[in-house]
Amino acid sequence: MDQPTDVIPHDGSAMPVHLLGHHLYEYSKGVRPMVMMTLSTRDADTVTRKLAERFVDYHVQTVTEAKVNVFFGNPTCVAMVRTVVRKPLNQLTPEEDFILGTLLGYDREQQCQRFLSMAQVGRAGAGREGAGRDGAVS
């Protein structure tokens, strides 16, 4: 397999950097146009440095003082995230949530079901199962 091995730490450090290699492989093969990783700020520094070295566009969203979401991939998709994701993920409108899920490559039918559920009953608590985003910490 031709996954990039140079992003896997040789000192046994944080798993998120190992996952970056897998995500970059999928992105380079066109499996997904964009990826979101939730990381500690320490791990985010390493990940964003590796992305910059590879000229991969990215956007960092603060979740808490110690945690961030790093979105990366297709420059057009990342630009869309910069426009749409301007608040915690659990506060996105059903439309914003649908756009984000679609950009991340989530199952379209599940995204449609999630959107309809959220639109019908309101944002709070709606459609959390099966879509992969669990509110402000995702």
Side-chain angles (χ1 to χ4, degrees), residues 60-73:
V60 178
Q61 176 200 32
T62 300
V63 176
T64 67
E65 219 174 280
K67 194 181 285 188
V68 298
N69 290 325
V70 178
F71 299 89
F72 64 90

Side-chain angles (χ1 to χ4, degrees), residues 2 14 18 28 31 33 38-39 55 69 72 78-79 81 84 88 91-92 94-96 100 102 112 114 118 122 132:
D2 57 327
H18 173 73
S28 72
V31 173
T38 302
L39 306 164
F55 304 101
N69 290 325
F72 64 90
V78 175
V81 166
V84 171
Q91 294 177 12
L92 296 178
E95 293 82 5
E96 292 165 337
L100 180 59
T102 302
C112 290
R114 180 178 167 93
M118 290 172 65

Side-chain angles (χ1 to χ4, degrees), residues 31-35 99-108 111:
V31 173
R32 50 179 84 241
M34 191 177 71
V35 176
I99 291 167
L100 180 59
T102 302
L103 291 174
L104 289 169
Y106 295 167
D107 179 86
R108 281 177 266 192
Q111 283 305 113

Side-chain angles (χ1 to χ4, degrees), residues 78-99:
V78 175
M80 184 72 166
V81 166
R82 285 186 186 108
T83 301
V84 171
V85 181
R86 296 179 174 265
K87 54 192 160 197
L89 298 183
N90 67 340
Q91 294 177 12
L92 296 178
T93 67
E95 293 82 5
E96 292 165 337
D97 183 89
F98 182 83
I99 291 167

